Amino acid sequence: MKLVTREQLGWPASAAPTQTSAKGVKIHYEGTAVSRSLLTNHSACLSEWKSIRASHLANAKENYSDIAYNYGACPHGYLLEGRGLGKRTGANGNQELNRSHYAIVGLVGSEGLTDPTDAMLGAIRDGIELLRKHGAGTEIKGHRDGYATACPGGPLYAWVQKGAPRPAGTTKPATTPAKPKYEPYPGSDFFMRGNGPALGKQSAIFTAMGKRLVAVGCGRYQVGPGPKLGQADVASYEAWQRKCGYSGAAAKWPPGKSTWDRLQVPNV
């Protein structure tokens, strides 16, 4: 299972209502045009996921407390954390339906990218199986089951009607999914607050990052490093980006993916 967590997305803990059990899971699609660029650019998938959350939080009519879905699944087989485990969805149409099933959305739509890849279907299965370990029952339905909508679209609903089988070639997650050796790049938004560094933000990632910066000779710490992002972290990482050959604005905060990958921050 390739899971992208809320922390990696730079999101706080979900404010959605707690719900520890449900009959099962309902499958959704976006219901609008989705760019086919997602097929070749995973960064576009993360941007799409963040955009969905932003649009939900801005929806004054629905008054969502968070992104509506428990999880999303992208064409590259990543399971994207939304509200996550133990949280009531806001996606199924009304409160009764939200209490009945959790919700997973595939990043496909009504135009453009309309057909889910096998990797996406495998990620949806990963999400279903993860939710089943944490209170979901065995039902797998489409959003349209019990609610007047075209969601989750023809191709995805056809798969649901077959029982949502795991495609050949996608791996069923182990009981305890193995963590990658190094912390995946969490995206530039994780490190920022508005137009500046997210000073004061706390994460174990910052401690691990700082220790690696010290190890490669770029530490600018008088105390630490620690879990709270400080100016010393910013100065240390900018020193690392200069050491990697960057200069001027390119060496400034926030961390870039190439320098992050080279730093090899241990997975936390």
Side-chain angles (χ1 to χ4, degrees), residues 97-144:
L97 295 173
N98 290 339
R99 284 189 289 267
S100 294
H101 295 82
Y102 297 121
I104 299 176
V105 61
L107 298 189
V108 291
S110 54
E111 297 178 36
L113 179 56
T114 58
D115 291 302
T117 63
D118 281 355
M120 180 185 292
L121 298 179
I124 294 174
R125 281 296 322 188
D126 290 343
I128 291 169
E129 289 158 23
L130 179 60
L131 286 164
R132 283 179 175 177
K133 291 176 183 176
H134 295 273
T138 59
E139 290 186 356
I140 304 174
K141 295 188 173 185
H143 183 196
R144 67 177 69 176

mmCIF file of all heavy atoms in Angstrom, residues 97-144:
data_model
loop_
_atom_site.group_PDB
_atom_site.id
_atom_site.type_symbol
_atom_site.label_atom_id
_atom_site.label_comp_id
_atom_site.label_asym_id
_atom_site.label_seq_id
_atom_site.Cartn_x
_atom_site.Cartn_y
_atom_site.Cartn_z
ATOM 1 N N LEU A 97 -26.991 8.610 5.139
ATOM 2 C CA LEU A 97 -26.111 7.869 4.243
ATOM 3 C C LEU A 97 -24.657 7.997 4.672
ATOM 4 O O LEU A 97 -23.871 7.045 4.533
ATOM 5 C CB LEU A 97 -26.286 8.378 2.811
ATOM 6 C CG LEU A 97 -27.658 8.129 2.179
ATOM 7 C CD1 LEU A 97 -27.759 8.836 0.837
ATOM 8 C CD2 LEU A 97 -27.926 6.639 2.026
ATOM 9 N N ASN A 98 -24.288 9.142 5.213
ATOM 10 C CA ASN A 98 -22.919 9.315 5.693
ATOM 11 C C ASN A 98 -22.621 8.394 6.876
ATOM 12 O O ASN A 98 -21.500 7.890 7.013
ATOM 13 C CB ASN A 98 -22.673 10.767 6.101
ATOM 14 C CG ASN A 98 -22.633 11.703 4.915
ATOM 15 O OD1 ASN A 98 -22.408 11.285 3.784
ATOM 16 N ND2 ASN A 98 -22.866 12.989 5.165
ATOM 17 N N ARG A 99 -23.616 8.187 7.717
ATOM 18 C CA ARG A 99 -23.413 7.286 8.853
ATOM 19 C C ARG A 99 -23.353 5.820 8.426
ATOM 20 O O ARG A 99 -22.756 4.992 9.114
ATOM 21 C CB ARG A 99 -24.531 7.482 9.887
ATOM 22 C CG ARG A 99 -24.381 8.746 10.738
ATOM 23 C CD ARG A 99 -25.390 8.770 11.877
ATOM 24 N NE ARG A 99 -26.740 8.989 11.368
ATOM 25 C CZ ARG A 99 -27.298 10.184 11.260
ATOM 26 N NH1 ARG A 99 -26.624 11.273 11.601
ATOM 27 N NH2 ARG A 99 -28.532 10.322 10.800
ATOM 28 N N SER A 100 -23.958 5.506 7.284
ATOM 29 C CA SER A 100 -24.046 4.104 6.859
ATOM 30 C C SER A 100 -22.759 3.577 6.242
ATOM 31 O O SER A 100 -22.441 2.396 6.386
ATOM 32 C CB SER A 100 -25.193 3.934 5.858
ATOM 33 O OG SER A 100 -26.442 4.165 6.478
ATOM 34 N N HIS A 101 -22.036 4.438 5.519
ATOM 35 C CA HIS A 101 -20.852 3.978 4.793
ATOM 36 C C HIS A 101 -19.751 5.032 4.835
ATOM 37 O O HIS A 101 -20.031 6.227 4.815
ATOM 38 C CB HIS A 101 -21.183 3.690 3.317
ATOM 39 C CG HIS A 101 -22.137 2.558 3.104
ATOM 40 N ND1 HIS A 101 -23.510 2.728 3.223
ATOM 41 C CD2 HIS A 101 -21.930 1.256 2.798
ATOM 42 C CE1 HIS A 101 -24.106 1.560 2.985
ATOM 43 N NE2 HIS A 101 -23.167 0.650 2.723
ATOM 44 N N TYR A 102 -18.522 4.577 4.866
ATOM 45 C CA TYR A 102 -17.382 5.456 4.624
ATOM 46 C C TYR A 102 -17.308 5.737 3.116
ATOM 47 O O TYR A 102 -18.094 5.181 2.337
ATOM 48 C CB TYR A 102 -16.097 4.807 5.113
ATOM 49 C CG TYR A 102 -16.058 4.562 6.613
ATOM 50 C CD1 TYR A 102 -15.896 3.275 7.134
ATOM 51 C CD2 TYR A 102 -16.162 5.626 7.513
ATOM 52 C CE1 TYR A 102 -15.849 3.053 8.506
ATOM 53 C CE2 TYR A 102 -16.113 5.422 8.884
ATOM 54 C CZ TYR A 102 -15.963 4.126 9.375
ATOM 55 O OH TYR A 102 -15.916 3.919 10.731
ATOM 56 N N ALA A 103 -16.381 6.594 2.687
ATOM 57 C CA ALA A 103 -16.335 6.990 1.278
ATOM 58 C C ALA A 103 -14.905 7.073 0.761
ATOM 59 O O ALA A 103 -14.023 7.626 1.418
ATOM 60 C CB ALA A 103 -17.022 8.349 1.091
ATOM 61 N N ILE A 104 -14.700 6.500 -0.434
ATOM 62 C CA ILE A 104 -13.424 6.592 -1.146
ATOM 63 C C ILE A 104 -13.712 7.118 -2.545
ATOM 64 O O ILE A 104 -14.638 6.648 -3.211
ATOM 65 C CB ILE A 104 -12.724 5.222 -1.245
ATOM 66 C CG1 ILE A 104 -12.406 4.679 0.151
ATOM 67 C CG2 ILE A 104 -11.436 5.342 -2.069
ATOM 68 C CD1 ILE A 104 -11.796 3.279 0.129
ATOM 69 N N VAL A 105 -12.927 8.084 -3.003
ATOM 70 C CA VAL A 105 -13.103 8.651 -4.339
ATOM 71 C C VAL A 105 -11.912 8.284 -5.214
ATOM 72 O O VAL A 105 -10.765 8.376 -4.792
ATOM 73 C CB VAL A 105 -13.289 10.185 -4.283
ATOM 74 C CG1 VAL A 105 -12.072 10.882 -3.681
ATOM 75 C CG2 VAL A 105 -13.592 10.750 -5.660
ATOM 76 N N GLY A 106 -12.213 7.839 -6.424
ATOM 77 C CA GLY A 106 -11.177 7.670 -7.432
ATOM 78 C C GLY A 106 -11.013 8.979 -8.188
ATOM 79 O O GLY A 106 -12.016 9.640 -8.515
ATOM 80 N N LEU A 107 -9.780 9.381 -8.467
ATOM 81 C CA LEU A 107 -9.546 10.652 -9.153
ATOM 82 C C LEU A 107 -9.785 10.501 -10.654
ATOM 83 O O LEU A 107 -8.881 10.626 -11.484
ATOM 84 C CB LEU A 107 -8.143 11.172 -8.865
ATOM 85 C CG LEU A 107 -7.826 11.489 -7.394
ATOM 86 C CD1 LEU A 107 -6.484 12.209 -7.285
ATOM 87 C CD2 LEU A 107 -8.933 12.312 -6.735
ATOM 88 N N VAL A 108 -11.039 10.217 -10.983
ATOM 89 C CA VAL A 108 -11.524 10.216 -12.357
ATOM 90 C C VAL A 108 -12.786 11.064 -12.382
ATOM 91 O O VAL A 108 -13.371 11.368 -11.334
ATOM 92 C CB VAL A 108 -11.830 8.795 -12.872
ATOM 93 C CG1 VAL A 108 -10.551 7.987 -13.041
ATOM 94 C CG2 VAL A 108 -12.804 8.070 -11.932
ATOM 95 N N GLY A 109 -13.208 11.456 -13.591
ATOM 96 C CA GLY A 109 -14.356 12.341 -13.674
ATOM 97 C C GLY A 109 -15.295 12.008 -14.809
ATOM 98 O O GLY A 109 -15.233 10.916 -15.397
ATOM 99 N N SER A 110 -16.132 12.962 -15.143
ATOM 100 C CA SER A 110 -17.135 12.774 -16.195
ATOM 101 C C SER A 110 -16.583 13.108 -17.579
ATOM 102 O O SER A 110 -17.187 12.755 -18.585
ATOM 103 C CB SER A 110 -18.353 13.662 -15.900
ATOM 104 O OG SER A 110 -17.955 15.018 -15.728
ATOM 105 N N GLU A 111 -15.440 13.789 -17.637
ATOM 106 C CA GLU A 111 -14.765 14.108 -18.894
ATOM 107 C C GLU A 111 -13.259 14.009 -18.676
ATOM 108 O O GLU A 111 -12.774 14.044 -17.551
ATOM 109 C CB GLU A 111 -15.109 15.531 -19.357
ATOM 110 C CG GLU A 111 -16.565 15.781 -19.665
ATOM 111 C CD GLU A 111 -16.799 17.220 -20.069
ATOM 112 O OE1 GLU A 111 -15.923 17.804 -20.748
ATOM 113 O OE2 GLU A 111 -17.844 17.781 -19.703
ATOM 114 N N GLY A 112 -12.506 13.916 -19.774
ATOM 115 C CA GLY A 112 -11.055 13.834 -19.665
ATOM 116 C C GLY A 112 -10.648 12.460 -19.173
ATOM 117 O O GLY A 112 -10.809 11.457 -19.880
ATOM 118 N N LEU A 113 -10.131 12.394 -17.966
ATOM 119 C CA LEU A 113 -9.761 11.119 -17.359
ATOM 120 C C LEU A 113 -11.015 10.491 -16.765
ATOM 121 O O LEU A 113 -11.493 10.899 -15.713
ATOM 122 C CB LEU A 113 -8.690 11.338 -16.285
ATOM 123 C CG LEU A 113 -8.208 10.092 -15.534
ATOM 124 C CD1 LEU A 113 -7.678 9.038 -16.488
ATOM 125 C CD2 LEU A 113 -7.144 10.473 -14.512
ATOM 126 N N THR A 114 -11.566 9.504 -17.459
ATOM 127 C CA THR A 114 -12.825 8.879 -17.030
ATOM 128 C C THR A 114 -12.663 7.413 -16.634
ATOM 129 O O THR A 114 -13.507 6.883 -15.913
ATOM 130 C CB THR A 114 -13.879 8.953 -18.151
ATOM 131 O OG1 THR A 114 -13.361 8.312 -19.325
ATOM 132 C CG2 THR A 114 -14.220 10.410 -18.477
ATOM 133 N N ASP A 115 -11.607 6.765 -17.114
ATOM 134 C CA ASP A 115 -11.419 5.335 -16.843
ATOM 135 C C ASP A 115 -10.348 5.133 -15.777
ATOM 136 O O ASP A 115 -9.211 5.596 -15.941
ATOM 137 C CB ASP A 115 -11.013 4.594 -18.113
ATOM 138 C CG ASP A 115 -12.133 4.532 -19.135
ATOM 139 O OD1 ASP A 115 -13.203 4.003 -18.780
ATOM 140 O OD2 ASP A 115 -11.950 5.020 -20.260
ATOM 141 N N PRO A 116 -10.666 4.452 -14.703
ATOM 142 C CA PRO A 116 -9.665 4.214 -13.664
ATOM 143 C C PRO A 116 -8.591 3.253 -14.151
ATOM 144 O O PRO A 116 -8.875 2.301 -14.877
ATOM 145 C CB PRO A 116 -10.484 3.595 -12.529
ATOM 146 C CG PRO A 116 -11.652 2.945 -13.205
ATOM 147 C CD PRO A 116 -11.972 3.832 -14.382
ATOM 148 N N THR A 117 -7.354 3.499 -13.778
ATOM 149 C CA THR A 117 -6.280 2.554 -14.071
ATOM 150 C C THR A 117 -6.366 1.377 -13.102
ATOM 151 O O THR A 117 -6.997 1.466 -12.038
ATOM 152 C CB THR A 117 -4.909 3.227 -13.905
ATOM 153 O OG1 THR A 117 -4.752 3.625 -12.528
ATOM 154 C CG2 THR A 117 -4.772 4.457 -14.807
ATOM 155 N N ASP A 118 -5.705 0.282 -13.453
ATOM 156 C CA ASP A 118 -5.649 -0.845 -12.525
ATOM 157 C C ASP A 118 -4.990 -0.433 -11.214
ATOM 158 O O ASP A 118 -5.390 -0.899 -10.137
ATOM 159 C CB ASP A 118 -4.884 -2.013 -13.152
ATOM 160 C CG ASP A 118 -5.724 -2.798 -14.146
ATOM 161 O OD1 ASP A 118 -6.928 -2.503 -14.285
ATOM 162 O OD2 ASP A 118 -5.175 -3.720 -14.784
ATOM 163 N N ALA A 119 -3.978 0.421 -11.305
ATOM 164 C CA ALA A 119 -3.302 0.881 -10.087
ATOM 165 C C ALA A 119 -4.270 1.649 -9.194
ATOM 166 O O ALA A 119 -4.245 1.512 -7.961
ATOM 167 C CB ALA A 119 -2.101 1.746 -10.447
ATOM 168 N N MET A 120 -5.142 2.464 -9.783
ATOM 169 C CA MET A 120 -6.133 3.194 -8.997
ATOM 170 C C MET A 120 -7.097 2.223 -8.326
ATOM 171 O O MET A 120 -7.412 2.372 -7.132
ATOM 172 C CB MET A 120 -6.915 4.177 -9.874
ATOM 173 C CG MET A 120 -7.972 4.967 -9.110
ATOM 174 S SD MET A 120 -9.007 6.025 -10.179
ATOM 175 C CE MET A 120 -7.797 7.243 -10.698
ATOM 176 N N LEU A 121 -7.574 1.243 -9.078
ATOM 177 C CA LEU A 121 -8.489 0.261 -8.492
ATOM 178 C C LEU A 121 -7.811 -0.504 -7.362
ATOM 179 O O LEU A 121 -8.436 -0.802 -6.339
ATOM 180 C CB LEU A 121 -8.978 -0.710 -9.574
ATOM 181 C CG LEU A 121 -9.776 -0.084 -10.726
ATOM 182 C CD1 LEU A 121 -10.179 -1.161 -11.731
ATOM 183 C CD2 LEU A 121 -11.002 0.665 -10.224
ATOM 184 N N GLY A 122 -6.524 -0.806 -7.538
ATOM 185 C CA GLY A 122 -5.786 -1.470 -6.466
ATOM 186 C C GLY A 122 -5.707 -0.596 -5.229
ATOM 187 O O GLY A 122 -5.830 -1.083 -4.095
ATOM 188 N N ALA A 123 -5.511 0.722 -5.416
ATOM 189 C CA ALA A 123 -5.453 1.640 -4.280
ATOM 190 C C ALA A 123 -6.809 1.746 -3.590
ATOM 191 O O ALA A 123 -6.880 1.846 -2.355
ATOM 192 C CB ALA A 123 -4.979 3.013 -4.738
ATOM 193 N N ILE A 124 -7.890 1.741 -4.375
ATOM 194 C CA ILE A 124 -9.229 1.748 -3.764
ATOM 195 C C ILE A 124 -9.413 0.496 -2.912
ATOM 196 O O ILE A 124 -9.927 0.561 -1.793
ATOM 197 C CB ILE A 124 -10.329 1.863 -4.833
ATOM 198 C CG1 ILE A 124 -10.255 3.220 -5.542
ATOM 199 C CG2 ILE A 124 -11.714 1.686 -4.200
ATOM 200 C CD1 ILE A 124 -11.226 3.360 -6.710
ATOM 201 N N ARG A 125 -8.973 -0.655 -3.442
ATOM 202 C CA ARG A 125 -9.047 -1.894 -2.654
ATOM 203 C C ARG A 125 -8.222 -1.765 -1.376
ATOM 204 O O ARG A 125 -8.635 -2.228 -0.306
ATOM 205 C CB ARG A 125 -8.536 -3.084 -3.465
ATOM 206 C CG ARG A 125 -9.502 -3.656 -4.479
ATOM 207 C CD ARG A 125 -10.766 -4.260 -3.923
ATOM 208 N NE ARG A 125 -10.662 -4.998 -2.678
ATOM 209 C CZ ARG A 125 -11.669 -5.711 -2.163
ATOM 210 N NH1 ARG A 125 -12.835 -5.774 -2.799
ATOM 211 N NH2 ARG A 125 -11.531 -6.348 -1.033
ATOM 212 N N ASP A 126 -7.039 -1.152 -1.486
ATOM 213 C CA ASP A 126 -6.222 -0.929 -0.286
ATOM 214 C C ASP A 126 -7.013 -0.144 0.750
ATOM 215 O O ASP A 126 -6.990 -0.460 1.946
ATOM 216 C CB ASP A 126 -4.950 -0.149 -0.641
ATOM 217 C CG ASP A 126 -3.954 -0.955 -1.455
ATOM 218 O OD1 ASP A 126 -4.066 -2.196 -1.493
ATOM 219 O OD2 ASP A 126 -3.051 -0.332 -2.049
ATOM 220 N N GLY A 127 -7.707 0.911 0.283
ATOM 221 C CA GLY A 127 -8.494 1.724 1.199
ATOM 222 C C GLY A 127 -9.647 0.957 1.820
ATOM 223 O O GLY A 127 -9.922 1.087 3.023
ATOM 224 N N ILE A 128 -10.332 0.153 0.999
ATOM 225 C CA ILE A 128 -11.442 -0.663 1.508
ATOM 226 C C ILE A 128 -10.938 -1.603 2.603
ATOM 227 O O ILE A 128 -11.536 -1.717 3.685
ATOM 228 C CB ILE A 128 -12.098 -1.457 0.366
ATOM 229 C CG1 ILE A 128 -12.843 -0.509 -0.581
ATOM 230 C CG2 ILE A 128 -13.044 -2.526 0.922
ATOM 231 C CD1 ILE A 128 -13.295 -1.168 -1.879
ATOM 232 N N GLU A 129 -9.823 -2.279 2.319
ATOM 233 C CA GLU A 129 -9.300 -3.254 3.276
ATOM 234 C C GLU A 129 -8.780 -2.582 4.540
ATOM 235 O O GLU A 129 -8.923 -3.114 5.646
ATOM 236 C CB GLU A 129 -8.232 -4.099 2.584
ATOM 237 C CG GLU A 129 -8.858 -5.044 1.560
ATOM 238 C CD GLU A 129 -7.894 -5.529 0.493
ATOM 239 O OE1 GLU A 129 -6.670 -5.518 0.733
ATOM 240 O OE2 GLU A 129 -8.377 -5.927 -0.589
ATOM 241 N N LEU A 130 -8.209 -1.382 4.398
ATOM 242 C CA LEU A 130 -7.762 -0.638 5.565
ATOM 243 C C LEU A 130 -8.952 -0.236 6.428
ATOM 244 O O LEU A 130 -8.927 -0.382 7.660
ATOM 245 C CB LEU A 130 -6.982 0.600 5.114
ATOM 246 C CG LEU A 130 -6.440 1.523 6.206
ATOM 247 C CD1 LEU A 130 -5.467 0.791 7.120
ATOM 248 C CD2 LEU A 130 -5.770 2.745 5.577
ATOM 249 N N LEU A 131 -10.012 0.269 5.792
ATOM 250 C CA LEU A 131 -11.200 0.666 6.542
ATOM 251 C C LEU A 131 -11.867 -0.535 7.205
ATOM 252 O O LEU A 131 -12.399 -0.420 8.320
ATOM 253 C CB LEU A 131 -12.186 1.395 5.619
ATOM 254 C CG LEU A 131 -11.780 2.820 5.228
ATOM 255 C CD1 LEU A 131 -12.580 3.307 4.032
ATOM 256 C CD2 LEU A 131 -11.960 3.770 6.409
ATOM 257 N N ARG A 132 -11.837 -1.685 6.545
ATOM 258 C CA ARG A 132 -12.416 -2.893 7.152
ATOM 259 C C ARG A 132 -11.690 -3.294 8.430
ATOM 260 O O ARG A 132 -12.284 -3.849 9.347
ATOM 261 C CB ARG A 132 -12.395 -4.046 6.144
ATOM 262 C CG ARG A 132 -13.472 -3.943 5.087
ATOM 263 C CD ARG A 132 -13.400 -5.093 4.101
ATOM 264 N NE ARG A 132 -14.515 -5.053 3.150
ATOM 265 C CZ ARG A 132 -14.661 -5.913 2.144
ATOM 266 N NH1 ARG A 132 -13.759 -6.874 1.948
ATOM 267 N NH2 ARG A 132 -15.704 -5.802 1.335
ATOM 268 N N LYS A 133 -10.398 -3.029 8.486
ATOM 269 C CA LYS A 133 -9.634 -3.328 9.700
ATOM 270 C C LYS A 133 -9.959 -2.358 10.825
ATOM 271 O O LYS A 133 -9.566 -2.586 11.971
ATOM 272 C CB LYS A 133 -8.136 -3.266 9.392
ATOM 273 C CG LYS A 133 -7.644 -4.385 8.487
ATOM 274 C CD LYS A 133 -6.170 -4.189 8.156
ATOM 275 C CE LYS A 133 -5.677 -5.253 7.193
ATOM 276 N NZ LYS A 133 -4.270 -5.023 6.786
ATOM 277 N N HIS A 134 -10.673 -1.292 10.493
ATOM 278 C CA HIS A 134 -10.951 -0.245 11.482
ATOM 279 C C HIS A 134 -12.430 0.113 11.514
ATOM 280 O O HIS A 134 -12.799 1.286 11.622
ATOM 281 C CB HIS A 134 -10.102 0.987 11.184
ATOM 282 C CG HIS A 134 -8.631 0.753 11.332
ATOM 283 N ND1 HIS A 134 -7.961 0.892 12.523
ATOM 284 C CD2 HIS A 134 -7.702 0.349 10.422
ATOM 285 C CE1 HIS A 134 -6.680 0.605 12.352
ATOM 286 N NE2 HIS A 134 -6.495 0.279 11.092
ATOM 287 N N GLY A 135 -13.299 -0.907 11.405
ATOM 288 C CA GLY A 135 -14.711 -0.696 11.680
ATOM 289 C C GLY A 135 -15.674 -0.757 10.517
ATOM 290 O O GLY A 135 -16.883 -0.751 10.719
ATOM 291 N N ALA A 136 -15.180 -0.820 9.283
ATOM 292 C CA ALA A 136 -16.085 -0.901 8.131
ATOM 293 C C ALA A 136 -16.571 -2.326 7.933
ATOM 294 O O ALA A 136 -15.790 -3.279 8.065
ATOM 295 C CB ALA A 136 -15.396 -0.402 6.874
ATOM 296 N N GLY A 137 -17.843 -2.452 7.584
ATOM 297 C CA GLY A 137 -18.389 -3.757 7.233
ATOM 298 C C GLY A 137 -18.010 -4.144 5.819
ATOM 299 O O GLY A 137 -17.173 -3.516 5.171
ATOM 300 N N THR A 138 -18.653 -5.191 5.294
ATOM 301 C CA THR A 138 -18.245 -5.781 4.020
ATOM 302 C C THR A 138 -18.913 -5.169 2.796
ATOM 303 O O THR A 138 -18.530 -5.484 1.669
ATOM 304 C CB THR A 138 -18.530 -7.288 4.037
ATOM 305 O OG1 THR A 138 -19.934 -7.503 4.270
ATOM 306 C CG2 THR A 138 -17.723 -7.980 5.131
ATOM 307 N N GLU A 139 -19.893 -4.293 2.976
ATOM 308 C CA GLU A 139 -20.591 -3.736 1.813
ATOM 309 C C GLU A 139 -19.674 -2.827 0.990
ATOM 310 O O GLU A 139 -18.934 -2.012 1.547
ATOM 311 C CB GLU A 139 -21.824 -2.953 2.249
ATOM 312 C CG GLU A 139 -22.952 -3.806 2.789
ATOM 313 C CD GLU A 139 -24.211 -3.009 3.079
ATOM 314 O OE1 GLU A 139 -24.197 -1.771 2.943
ATOM 315 O OE2 GLU A 139 -25.219 -3.629 3.441
ATOM 316 N N ILE A 140 -19.760 -2.982 -0.332
ATOM 317 C CA ILE A 140 -19.095 -2.074 -1.267
ATOM 318 C C ILE A 140 -20.161 -1.613 -2.256
ATOM 319 O O ILE A 140 -20.717 -2.418 -3.001
ATOM 320 C CB ILE A 140 -17.937 -2.754 -2.021
ATOM 321 C CG1 ILE A 140 -16.922 -3.342 -1.040
ATOM 322 C CG2 ILE A 140 -17.258 -1.748 -2.957
ATOM 323 C CD1 ILE A 140 -15.834 -4.161 -1.723
ATOM 324 N N LYS A 141 -20.457 -0.321 -2.253
ATOM 325 C CA LYS A 141 -21.497 0.216 -3.113
ATOM 326 C C LYS A 141 -20.997 1.461 -3.828
ATOM 327 O O LYS A 141 -19.969 2.030 -3.478
ATOM 328 C CB LYS A 141 -22.748 0.559 -2.282
ATOM 329 C CG LYS A 141 -23.427 -0.647 -1.656
ATOM 330 C CD LYS A 141 -24.752 -0.261 -1.010
ATOM 331 C CE LYS A 141 -25.516 -1.485 -0.524
ATOM 332 N NZ LYS A 141 -26.850 -1.131 0.005
ATOM 333 N N GLY A 142 -21.760 1.854 -4.861
ATOM 334 C CA GLY A 142 -21.490 3.116 -5.510
ATOM 335 C C GLY A 142 -22.281 4.220 -4.839
ATOM 336 O O GLY A 142 -23.289 3.965 -4.169
ATOM 337 N N HIS A 143 -21.833 5.447 -5.022
ATOM 338 C CA HIS A 143 -22.554 6.594 -4.467
ATOM 339 C C HIS A 143 -24.005 6.604 -4.925
ATOM 340 O O HIS A 143 -24.919 6.956 -4.160
ATOM 341 C CB HIS A 143 -21.835 7.883 -4.898
ATOM 342 C CG HIS A 143 -22.423 9.136 -4.331
ATOM 343 N ND1 HIS A 143 -22.132 10.376 -4.854
ATOM 344 C CD2 HIS A 143 -23.287 9.363 -3.302
ATOM 345 C CE1 HIS A 143 -22.771 11.296 -4.159
ATOM 346 N NE2 HIS A 143 -23.482 10.717 -3.221
ATOM 347 N N ARG A 144 -24.245 6.169 -6.180
ATOM 348 C CA ARG A 144 -25.606 6.198 -6.724
ATOM 349 C C ARG A 144 -26.533 5.192 -6.056
ATOM 350 O O ARG A 144 -27.761 5.281 -6.221
ATOM 351 C CB ARG A 144 -25.585 5.934 -8.229
ATOM 352 C CG ARG A 144 -25.144 4.543 -8.616
ATOM 353 C CD ARG A 144 -25.213 4.284 -10.114
ATOM 354 N NE ARG A 144 -24.228 5.054 -10.861
ATOM 355 C CZ ARG A 144 -24.037 4.939 -12.177
ATOM 356 N NH1 ARG A 144 -24.783 4.098 -12.881
ATOM 357 N NH2 ARG A 144 -23.114 5.643 -12.784
#
